[in-house]
């Protein structure tokens, strides 16, 4: 028997009705304490905000804040949802980037989405970005493996490692801004590199060969869990539209909270489940020196969120439309700087399975780059998000020093990485550790869900070697060529100034040491990469240095006003030009020889690279989470075909391969009175071997009902290789009252999975079917219910 410390009954105030406050409230409901909850708004939930979206006579619920979760990095929150019986359903995660109104676009949903702009197939910048993604995913974990404390920011890390501008602007900044709801001008590049990399690694976003977690969303909107908790909670203990302005301590150690309007009330304990800067403003007047030193480091930024249907805030190419869509741009037109404006549009048709053919485009945009059309807007909201700096991360480590002191506890996402799981878990911990609450599961720390230090596998080491070769054979050639062109341009400018004693102006770049420039050896490495990446524009310059030389000569002569002085100068120039031009011609000859050498290297390298493009793309797909969904077998027949065996007779099982275990699961929606179960628990099949499985559906009602089934395959990387020759999915199934029918699924696993490195180690595949009740619109056409993807 476990002896728990005794906690006397206390009067407790939870300040803040977001996920942290709700977590504390749920845990304290299971304790003897008398609990009150305060919130400055007119509702509870904070970022958990589900609102109504209407299209004609149809209405649906849309999450505008918290949307998705997974079992690996949201263990406590998903355990909580299971305990209160709130249903979750799988969702799809994909990501796209659109820069400068469609000037450059790509997406992670497959080859067609990746190269939604066909010209990018021949774009060196595109391939440089893809290689940098692989390099970052492989080498960034070294910061975690060293296990050394560092305050290096993301921007400093990228500069130190020589990552390209296209990787930073068109991949990492949009991805980071999407994950932490932060803009470049609000501290993305100041984000601690270790914290970012730890998050990406925990979420398998840096994994080349490991499987990725399945993402889920609450079937009926995230607000469902708020409503479920508050059903039995006394309404007179919920204080809304009331801002807590300060807390002070009484002589007996109890805590008095002060609200707007001069009201106050005394409690035995207070949980400040607010943002960090808001918590600091509440305790400021009564804070100790230690509390001030820690809490003053936390900051937030306010973000605008719009619920709308304006597709101008989506990528220009429909092929690039994804679950998460990042639109970026530079503030100054024609600027050579980095992107400094980022907006993020959530495609709720994908994330919450809202049928587009019924509701049209359902979009939620965070910090839109421009205002959506007013007639498309159905809601506007403001959410605050934490800003992470090195000082904030250091302050987090010292939070235990002020927790549960003076009868005050602190909770919120800001105490960890800022996500829903962090906020909810911090509320649980405050209730359990400080007030003795008891919950029906063990609290897990998701910060290290994959362990403390990443371990490199043999395949990781092989991929690192492959990346190194490409870096040397291809990227090195491009960087040296760009560097050489930059050096030639600077040398030409210096020669011109030496010949004519020109003052420094916009046409020239100062070079204070010509000998050093001429004799220096081009370095392939980190520092040169940044300079070389900015020199690509030289490849398309017209006229080159000689043209600039002639323009500068004419400009100099025109600026000499005295006529005699101008004539003398022209005579002097005529004597000087031959020697100067001879020197310049030597420079151009050397440059042309270097250019020819690099051009031949690039051509040969491109030919070799084309042979490796297919395996490279496969690794990119797995690295960034791209992939397909299970489809009917290519060339196969549909359910209605008279001979579904045609394709199966052409398949040849791989007899020397290991059999793969295929398991089956089934479920039905709450409104469908059917019993739906698989007839077999599992089958074991060889790659290329067809298999037949059966599901049984029973209509338990006294009415005829039409159902529609959808399916999914886990793990996700198996999906492109799981092919069904015959199935009952996405088609109407009418069951009469009390009728029981058997539903066959004829499938096989494509033998190509044996060639995919990402499939190694996968021994079990799960096929899941879910039945929904079909509905009909006014024209008698079937209308997919919420939860069934639009297949039109």
């Amino acid at each position: 028997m476990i002896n728990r410390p005794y906690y006397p009954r206390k009067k407790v105030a939870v300040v803040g009705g977001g996920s942290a406050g709700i977590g504390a409230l749920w845990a304290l409901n299971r304790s003897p304490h008398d609990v009150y909850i305060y919130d400055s708004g007119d509702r509870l939930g904070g970022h958990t905000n589900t609102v109504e979206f209407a299209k004609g006579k149809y209405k649906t619920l849309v999450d505008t804040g918290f949307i998705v979760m997974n079992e690996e990095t949201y263990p406590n929150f998903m355990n909580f949802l299971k305990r209160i019986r709130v249903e979750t359903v799988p969702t799809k995660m994909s990501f796209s980037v659109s820069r400068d109104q469609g000037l450059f676009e790509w997406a992670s949903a497959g080859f067609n989405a990746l190269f939604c702009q066909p010209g990018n197939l021949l774009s060196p910048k595109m391939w440089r970005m893809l290689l940098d993604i692989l390099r970052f995913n492989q080498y960034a974990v070294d910061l975690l493996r060293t296990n050394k404390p560092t305050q290096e920011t993301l921007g400093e890390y990228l500069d130190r490692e020589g990552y390209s501008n296209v990787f930073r602007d068109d991949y990492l900044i949009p991805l980071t801004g999407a994950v932490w709801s932060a803009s470049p001008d609000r501290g993305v590049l100041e984000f601690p590199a270790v914290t970012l990399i730890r998050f990406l690694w925990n979420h398998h976003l840096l994994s080349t060969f490991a499987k990725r977690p399945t993402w889920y969303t609450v079937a009926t909107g995230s607000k469902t869990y708020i409503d479920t908790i508050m059903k039995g909670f006394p309404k007179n203990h919920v204080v809304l539209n009331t801002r807590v302005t300060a807390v002070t301590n009484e002589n007996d150690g109890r805590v008095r909270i002060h609200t707007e309007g001069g009201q106050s009330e005394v409690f035995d304990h207070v949980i400040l489940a607010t943002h960090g800067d808001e918590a600091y403003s509440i305790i400021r007047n009564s804070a100790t020196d230690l509390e001030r030193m820690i809490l003053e480091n936390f900051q937030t930024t306010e973000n605008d969120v719009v619920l709308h249907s304006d597709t101008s805030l989506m990528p220009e190419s429909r092929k690039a439309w994804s679950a998460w869509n990042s639109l970026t741009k530079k503030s100054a037109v024609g600027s050579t700087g980095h992107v400094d404006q980022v907006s993020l549009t959530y495609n709720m048709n994908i994330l919450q399975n809202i049928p587009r053919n019924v509701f049209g485009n359902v979009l939620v945009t965070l910090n839109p780059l421009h205002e959506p059309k007013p007639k498309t807007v159905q809601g506007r909201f403001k959410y605050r998000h934490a800003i992470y700096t090195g000082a904030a991360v250091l302050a987090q480590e010292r939070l235990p020093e002020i927790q549960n002191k003076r009868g005050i506890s602190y909770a919120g996402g800001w105490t960890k990485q800022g996500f829903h799981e962090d906020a909810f878990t911090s509320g649980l911990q405050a209730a359990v550790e400080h007030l003795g609450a008891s919950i029906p599961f063990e609290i897990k720390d998701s910060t290290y869900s994959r362990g403390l230090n990443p371990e490199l596998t043999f395949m990781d080491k092989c991929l690192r070697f492959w990346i190194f070769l490409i870096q040397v054979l291809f990227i090195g050639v491009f960087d040296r060529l760009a560097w050489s062109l930059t050096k030639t341009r600077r040398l030409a400018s210096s020669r011109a100034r030496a010949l004519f004693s020109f003052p420094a102006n916009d046409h020239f770049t100062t070079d204070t040491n010509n000998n050093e420039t001429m004799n220096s050896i081009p370095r392939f490495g980190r520092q040169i990469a940044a300079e070389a990446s900015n020199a690509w524009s030289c490849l398309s310059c017209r006229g080159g240095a000689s043209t600039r030389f002639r323009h500068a000569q004419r400009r100099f002569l025109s600026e000499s006003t005295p006529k005699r002085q101008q004539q003398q100068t022209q005579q002097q120039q005529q004597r000087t030009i031959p020697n100067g031009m001879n020197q310049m011609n030597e420079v151009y000859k050397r440059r042309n020889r270097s250019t020819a050498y690099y051009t031949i290297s690039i051509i040969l390298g491109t030919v070799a690279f084309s042979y490796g493009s297919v395996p490279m793309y496969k690794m990119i797909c797995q690295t960034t989470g791209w992939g397909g969904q299970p489809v009917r077998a290519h060339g196969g027949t549909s359910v209605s075909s008279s001979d579904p065996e045609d394709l199966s007779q052409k398949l040849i099982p791989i007899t020397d391969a290991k059999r793969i275990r295929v398991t089956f699961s089934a479920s039905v929606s709450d409104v469908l009175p059917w019993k739906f179960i698989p007839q077999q628990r599992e089958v074991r099949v060889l790659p290329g071997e067809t298999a037949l499985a059966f599901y049984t559906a029973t209509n338990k009602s006294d009415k005829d009902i039409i159902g529609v089934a959808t399916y999914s395959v886990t793990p996700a990387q198996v999906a492109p290789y799981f092919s069904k020759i015959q199935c009952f999915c996405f088609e109407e199934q009418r069951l009469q009252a009390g009728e029981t029918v058997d539903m066959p699924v004829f499938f096989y696993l494509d033998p190509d999975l044996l060639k995919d490195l990402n499939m190694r180690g996968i021994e079990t595949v799960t096929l899941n079917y879910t039945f929904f009740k079909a509905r009909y619109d006014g024209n008698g056409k079937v209308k997919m219910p919420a939860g069934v993807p639009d297949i039109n």
Side-chain angles (χ1 to χ4, degrees):
M1 181 177 178
I2 300 177
N3 293 323
R4 296 184 180 274
Y6 171 73
Y7 290 86
R9 176 180 172 84
K10 293 184 178 182
K11 183 179 179 182
V12 180
V14 178
V15 179
S19 55
I22 293 298
L25 183 67
W26 176 72
L28 292 172
N29 272 342
R30 312 170 67 89
S31 72
H33 302 304
D34 185 21
V35 185
Y36 292 75
I37 186 167
Y38 287 77
D39 196 276
S40 59
D42 58 359
R43 63 175 181 84
L44 296 177
H47 291 186
T48 304
N49 187 16
T50 307
V51 300
E52 192 175 82
F53 183 95
K55 178 67 179 297
K57 63 181 180 179
Y58 299 110
K59 296 180 180 179
T60 188
L61 296 176
V62 180
D63 286 328
T64 60
F66 168 66
I67 304 171
V68 294
M69 72 210 90
N70 66 76
E71 291 182 341
E72 292 193 25
T73 54
Y74 291 72
N76 302 312
F77 185 70
M78 293 206 70
N79 262 331
F80 155 74
L81 293 181
K82 292 176 183 177
R83 296 288 177 176
I84 65 173
R85 300 179 183 275
V86 170
E87 181 187 3
T88 59
V89 293
T91 187
K92 301 173 185 177
M93 293 294 290
S94 54
F95 182 65
S96 74
V97 174
S98 177
R99 174 167 54 81
D100 295 331
Q101 297 179 334
L103 182 65
F104 177 77
E105 292 185 341
W106 67 273
S108 67
F111 185 85
N112 289 335
L114 178 62
F115 294 102
C116 58
Q117 295 176 322
N120 287 339
L121 278 167
L122 302 178
S123 169
K125 293 178 66 175
M126 180 69 174
W127 290 104
R128 176 64 182 270
M129 182 188 77
L130 297 179
L131 178 65
D132 276 347
I133 291 173
L134 279 178
R135 182 160 71 98
F136 180 79
N137 291 351
Q138 275 296 313
Y139 287 95
V141 295
D142 289 345
L143 277 184
L144 308 182
R145 296 176 67 237
T146 58
N147 202 24
K148 294 180 180 179
T150 175
Q151 294 302 307
E152 187 175 37
T153 65
L154 177 60
E156 291 170 345
Y157 173 78
L158 297 179
D159 290 339
R160 175 168 64 85
E161 295 297 328
Y163 284 97
S164 61
N165 292 341
V166 65
F167 167 78
R168 173 165 62 179
D169 290 347
D170 298 326
Y171 176 75
L172 199 57
I173 284 181
L175 179 64
T176 307
V179 170
W180 270 279
S181 303
S183 296
D185 59 346
R186 299 178 186 176
V188 166
L189 295 179
E190 297 301 318
F191 202 95
V194 171
T195 304
L196 170 69
I197 294 169
R198 172 72 64 183
F199 169 83
L200 296 177
W201 185 65
N202 281 346
H203 284 71
H204 298 267
L205 296 177
L206 299 181
S207 299
T208 306
F209 303 108
K211 66 177 182 180
R212 299 181 183 280
T214 300
W215 288 87
Y216 297 89
T217 186
V218 178
T220 52
S222 59
K223 184 176 178 290
T224 304
Y225 84 83
I226 305 289
D227 296 336
T228 302
I229 289 177
M230 301 307 297
K231 277 182 181 178
F233 193 78
K235 293 185 178 180
N236 61 342
H237 283 212
V238 180
V239 186
L240 299 178
N241 297 308
T242 303
R243 181 178 298 278
V244 174
T245 58
V247 295
T248 56
N249 286 99
E250 302 292 287
N251 294 331
D252 58 0
R254 300 177 73 193
V255 185
R256 180 180 294 275
I257 66 171
H258 303 262
T259 59
E260 287 180 332
Q263 303 295 318
S264 68
E265 191 167 352
V266 177
F267 294 87
D268 297 302
H269 194 95
V270 172
I271 298 177
L272 293 180
T274 63
H275 291 293
D277 54 353
E278 189 176 355
Y280 179 52
S281 68
I282 290 174
I283 68 146
R284 185 194 304 270
N285 294 335
S286 63
T288 65
D289 291 339
L290 182 60
E291 288 171 337
R292 288 194 180 92
M293 183 177 65
I294 294 175
L295 293 180
E296 68 183 1
N297 294 289
F298 297 101
Q299 306 171 45
T300 58
T301 179
E302 188 173 71
N303 295 289
D304 297 318
V305 174
V306 183
L307 172 63
H308 64 98
S309 56
D310 186 354
T311 57
S312 67
L313 288 166
M314 291 285 283
E316 292 287 330
S317 173
R318 288 293 294 261
K319 294 180 180 179
W321 283 22
S322 304
W324 291 22
N325 303 273
S326 181
L327 274 65
T328 69
K329 73 174 184 178
K330 305 180 183 71
S331 292
V333 178
S335 170
T336 58
H338 304 294
V339 297
D340 52 11
Q341 294 184 59
V342 176
S343 75
L344 180 67
T345 296
Y346 301 96
N347 189 337
M348 305 309 295
N349 299 102
I350 297 176
L351 289 170
Q352 289 192 283
N353 299 315
I354 299 175
R356 182 174 284 107
N357 61 338
V358 176
F359 294 98
N361 296 294
V362 183
L363 309 174
V364 173
T365 298
L366 181 74
N367 297 323
L369 296 182
H370 62 267
E371 277 296 312
K373 297 176 182 176
K375 65 179 181 180
T376 68
V377 175
Q378 298 204 25
R380 293 181 181 273
F381 316 93
K382 291 184 180 294
Y383 300 126
R384 300 198 70 84
H385 295 87
I387 298 176
Y388 285 89
T389 61
V393 172
L394 290 176
Q396 285 179 342
E397 298 175 358
R398 301 196 64 181
L399 272 176
E401 299 178 32
I402 62 174
Q403 283 282 25
N404 201 23
K405 300 294 192 296
R406 302 196 296 131
I408 301 174
S409 299
Y410 302 95
W414 57 277
T415 63
K416 283 293 183 66
Q417 293 183 333
F419 298 97
H420 208 78
E421 169 74 9
D422 300 317
F424 187 80
T425 300
S426 68
L428 295 182
Q429 288 175 325
V432 172
E433 297 174 5
H434 304 164
L435 293 166
S438 177
I439 60 176
F441 55 83
E442 181 181 355
I443 296 178
K444 298 180 180 179
D445 185 358
S446 63
T447 306
Y448 303 99
S449 59
R450 297 185 65 192
L452 186 61
N453 296 320
E455 295 183 2
L456 297 181
T457 64
F458 174 75
M459 297 305 300
D460 287 325
K461 294 178 181 178
C462 291
L463 182 56
R464 284 190 174 206
F465 178 72
W466 183 74
I467 293 173
F468 172 77
L469 289 180
I470 292 183
Q471 190 79 11
V472 172
L473 297 177
F474 297 95
I475 302 304
V477 171
F478 280 102
D479 285 349
R480 285 170 183 256
L481 175 59
W483 188 91
S484 177
L485 292 176
T486 303
K487 187 182 77 171
T488 301
R489 183 179 61 178
R490 290 178 176 177
L491 181 60
S493 299
S494 299
R495 292 287 185 184
R497 284 195 305 277
L499 290 172
F500 301 107
S501 301
F502 292 159
N505 54 53
D506 293 340
H507 292 281
F508 300 108
T509 303
T510 304
D511 189 343
T512 59
N513 194 334
N514 294 336
N515 293 330
E516 181 180 353
T517 303
M518 287 293 296
N519 298 327
S520 62
I521 300 176
R523 282 191 304 121
F524 165 68
R526 297 167 180 170
Q527 294 179 353
I528 193 175
E531 181 180 359
S533 64
N534 290 327
W536 285 104
S537 58
C538 297
L539 296 174
S540 60
C541 289
R542 294 184 178 180
S546 60
T547 302
R548 294 178 181 233
F549 183 93
R550 291 191 296 270
H551 282 304
Q553 179 186 0
R554 288 194 297 267
R555 177 179 176 182
F556 174 79
L557 294 176
S558 63
E559 289 177 352
S560 299
T561 53
K563 188 172 183 180
R564 182 177 297 178
Q565 181 180 356
Q566 182 172 352
Q567 293 174 351
Q568 293 175 353
T569 302
Q570 290 176 346
Q571 295 174 357
Q572 182 180 357
Q573 298 301 336
Q574 291 174 358
R575 293 191 298 269
T576 307
I577 285 177
N579 293 332
M581 291 304 297
N582 288 336
Q583 296 177 12
M584 294 297 295
N585 289 333
E586 289 299 321
V587 173
Y588 299 145
K589 289 179 181 179
R590 288 195 296 269
R591 186 195 67 178
N592 292 337
R593 285 195 296 269
S594 299
T595 302
Y597 167 75
Y598 289 126
T599 302
I600 294 173
S601 300
I602 292 171
I603 294 173
L604 294 177
T606 302
V607 173
F609 191 74
S610 64
Y611 285 95
S613 60
V614 173
M616 178 182 178
Y617 172 68
K618 286 187 176 181
M619 281 183 280
I620 291 172
C621 287
Q622 182 60 26
T623 300
T624 56
W626 308 333
Q629 291 297 314
V631 296
R632 295 185 188 275
H634 298 292
T637 55
S638 66
V639 179
S640 60
S641 174
S642 60
D643 185 12
E645 298 288 334
D646 291 343
L647 182 62
S648 63
Q649 294 176 0
K650 302 177 183 179
L651 294 173
I652 301 177
I654 309 299
T655 56
D656 58 348
K658 186 177 180 180
R659 287 186 176 272
I660 297 177
R661 177 171 170 258
V662 181
T663 62
F664 305 87
S665 64
S667 61
V668 296
S669 67
D670 293 338
V671 298
L672 183 63
W674 284 12
K675 180 181 180 181
F676 179 57
I677 59 173
Q679 292 187 14
Q680 61 288 308
R681 180 174 298 177
E682 66 180 56
V683 297
R684 295 181 182 270
V685 297
L686 293 171
E689 180 184 30
T690 58
L692 185 62
F694 287 88
Y695 284 74
T696 299
T698 301
N699 184 356
K700 299 189 295 182
S701 72
D702 57 355
K703 298 180 180 179
D704 296 353
I705 297 178
I706 296 177
V708 178
T710 183
Y711 60 84
S712 62
V713 174
T714 55
Q717 59 263 49
V718 180
Y721 303 102
F722 194 104
S723 297
K724 293 188 296 301
I725 302 173
Q726 182 181 19
C727 78
F728 50 88
C729 49
F730 296 119
E731 297 193 5
E732 296 181 26
Q733 304 293 329
R734 177 185 292 274
L735 267 66
Q736 298 179 359
E739 181 184 13
T740 298
V741 296
D742 293 333
M743 298 181 177
V745 181
F746 197 30
F747 68 93
Y748 71 94
L749 291 170
D750 195 319
D752 284 345
L753 65 85
L754 298 176
K755 304 175 185 178
D756 193 341
L757 297 177
N758 302 319
M759 296 297 298
R760 293 191 177 182
I762 294 187
E763 301 176 351
T764 302
V765 178
T766 300
L767 176 63
N768 177 71
Y769 279 86
T770 302
F771 254 107
F772 297 84
K773 186 176 181 181
R775 297 187 180 93
Y776 292 84
D777 59 19
N779 298 322
K781 296 182 179 181
V782 67
K783 178 176 74 68
M784 294 295 183
V788 178
D790 180 16
I791 60 173
N792 293 329

